[in-house]
Amino acid sequence: MLFPVSVPLFLSTSAIAVAALGSKQVHLQQPLEDETSHFFKIPALGFGTSGLDKAIVSEVVSSALHVGFRHLDCASVYGNQREVGRGISHGLKSLNLNRSDIWITSKLWNDQYTCSSPRPSLRADPSSHDPSLVEDALTHTLHDLGLAYLDLWLMHWPVGNAPETGKTQLDYLKTWHAMEKIHKAGRVRNIGISNFSPAQLKDIIDHSDTKPFVHQFEVHPYLPQTKWIEYQQKLGISVTAYAPLANTNPHYHPKNNPPFLLTNPDMLSVAAKVKCSTVQVALAWGISRGYSVIPKSSHIGHIKENFEALECHLQEEDLKRIDKISEKYLKRFINPSKAYGIKLFDGLEDA
């Protein structure tokens, strides 16, 4: 389902709230609980922290909050959560915001938990997908971020490392059940998954009490995954798109790539028509399809440009033109199947 003209401030599991945005409203991205439906709302535009240098990430995160971002996406494997936490603390204090005014997502890693510093009171380097150590992993994450709770905690991949051999294997049900227990205890407000296949999602739903609140995976005009997104939305599962700008990231440049998304002729044409940058068009396209997007940047100019995508208004014809880009170029840029020795994304586009 497409939502023309405007982009939503919030996304919830019950409905997509579509509202026209004015420049005075854009900053009001607070993830409050809806008073009538009692569903938590995740801000549609988030700020990603993957790959951000620890030397500057505190300042970058604080700057993102000052620009207006109220949704931060983190992960233990990024190795910078302690610095991200400092940026959160500084940003909240300087803006006179409360913890409840922002949405923080982090992720449980499938290999060894990356500790920012040794803490003797906790087990060192717990194997995160060992169900008995899942709570330790969350404790590390909360300690590094300087938080009492997370708004959302995701299982980063449906795989884990066997403690005896270190070999990667499919491993998610027992881990999910351990996450469910933590969710009930209140240290995470919502739990979800990332990079799961349709069969793996069904397995979670069929054998668990808690349905994932969010599924985060790669989505952009070169990998629209329309049917997969719509299927989950019908189930009441929100979607978050990582890599929403496709091959802008220099790490995503293997051979036989399509052209840079931001210089794709169709993107340039739509951008000229609506008087937005191609970055803003790509982000607005994603949000208009009913899911949240998490671009990242360490440059203040790009951070502001990303945030201003909330004021980029696409018409139905613009959305349809972007939808057709994948008919010529269909490309998944992030697929560690060979590295893990396990087929991932089975049944999905360009798996």
Side-chain angles (χ1 to χ4, degrees):
M1 182 177 180
L2 299 179
F3 299 84
V5 183
S6 300
V7 296
L9 276 170
F10 302 101
L11 302 175
S12 74
T13 55
S14 58
I16 306 300
V18 180
L21 299 176
S23 59
K24 294 182 180 180
Q25 295 172 297
V26 169
H27 68 287
L28 299 176
Q29 277 211 103
Q30 297 175 346
L32 303 176
E33 186 177 3
D34 186 86
E35 294 180 358
T36 55
S37 69
H38 300 293
F39 279 94
F40 292 108
K41 297 180 178 181
I42 180 169
L45 182 61
F47 183 78
T49 60
S50 170
L52 296 183
D53 190 333
K54 289 196 292 185
I56 61 171
V57 70
S58 296
E59 181 179 355
V60 168
V61 166
S62 180
S63 295
L65 291 173
H66 277 78
V67 166
F69 282 93
R70 296 295 181 263
H71 169 189
L72 301 177
D73 183 82
C74 317
S76 59
V77 74
Y78 299 162
N80 58 10
Q81 287 195 128
R82 191 174 185 182
E83 291 74 21
V84 167
R86 290 172 180 164
I88 292 171
S89 178
H90 180 271
L92 292 180
K93 288 179 181 177
S94 59
L95 290 166
N96 196 29
L97 294 175
N98 297 315
R99 165 65 182 90
S100 59
D101 293 326
I102 62 174
W103 180 283
I104 306 294
T105 296
S106 189
K107 309 177 194 73
L108 175 70
W109 186 237
N110 47 280
D111 191 356
Q112 294 292 308
Y113 191 86
T114 305
C115 302
S116 296
S117 62
R119 286 178 289 280
S121 61
L122 301 174
R123 297 186 217 186
D125 298 322
S127 176
S128 298
H129 273 225
D130 179 339
S132 67
L133 299 181
V134 168
E135 189 165 3
D136 276 2
L138 175 62
T139 298
H140 278 287
T141 281
L142 291 175
H143 183 281
D144 283 347
L145 290 171
L147 302 176
Y149 70 92
L150 293 175
D151 296 282
L152 176 62
W153 198 32
L154 304 177
M155 195 186 313
H156 211 145
W157 293 90
V159 300
N161 279 23
E164 300 84 5
T165 64
K167 184 178 180 181
T168 303
Q169 58 190 18
L170 285 174
D171 179 16
Y172 54 87
L173 267 182
K174 290 182 179 179
T175 303
W176 180 256
H177 295 158
M179 292 176 70
E180 285 185 295
K181 292 180 181 179
I182 291 172
H183 176 234
K184 291 175 183 177
R187 293 212 293 168
V188 294
R189 297 174 75 181
N190 304 280
I191 54 175
I193 56 176
S194 183
N195 300 303
F196 275 54
S197 72
Q200 291 159 355
L201 173 60
K202 185 177 185 302
D203 204 17
I204 287 279
I205 293 174
D206 289 348
H207 298 94
S208 306
D209 295 327
T210 308
K211 181 172 57 180
F213 178 77
V214 167
H215 189 183
Q216 184 179 126
F217 50 90
E218 180 181 353
V219 189
H220 44 73
Y222 287 149
L223 191 71
Q225 307 209 72
T226 303
K227 292 182 179 179
W228 183 216
I229 291 169
E230 291 177 347
Y231 171 75
Q232 292 174 92
Q233 290 173 335
K234 288 177 182 177
L235 290 175
I237 298 172
S238 294
V239 170
T240 294
Y242 69 70
L245 304 180
N247 52 351
T248 304
N249 190 315
H251 295 294
Y252 308 156
H253 297 163
K255 294 180 179 178
N256 303 317
N257 254 0
F260 282 109
L261 178 65
L262 303 184
T263 58
N264 181 287
D266 290 300
M267 295 292 292
L268 290 169
S269 179
V270 171
K273 174 178 175 289
V274 299
K275 295 181 173 55
C276 298
S277 69
T278 50
V279 168
Q280 293 163 348
V281 166
L283 299 177
W285 172 80
I287 296 171
S288 296
R289 299 172 80 220
Y291 53 79
S292 55
V293 296
I294 47 172
K296 62 179 181 179
S297 179
S298 59
H299 302 283
I300 187 64
H302 293 159
I303 294 171
K304 290 178 179 178
E305 179 185 11
N306 292 346
F307 190 76
E308 289 168 0
L310 290 171
E311 294 182 311
C312 182
H313 306 305
L314 303 179
Q315 302 296 325
E316 185 75 20
E317 62 190 54
D318 305 321
L319 298 171
K320 288 182 177 179
R321 182 168 185 177
I322 298 171
D323 288 343
K324 292 181 178 180
I325 289 176
S326 63
E327 294 178 6
K328 183 176 181 181
Y329 302 108
L330 182 64
K331 182 68 176 179
R332 181 184 297 275
F333 296 102
I334 304 168
N335 188 349
S337 292
K338 291 183 179 179
Y340 288 158
I342 295 174
K343 183 172 176 55
L344 300 168
F345 309 115
D346 192 33
L348 298 175
E349 293 175 349
D350 196 32

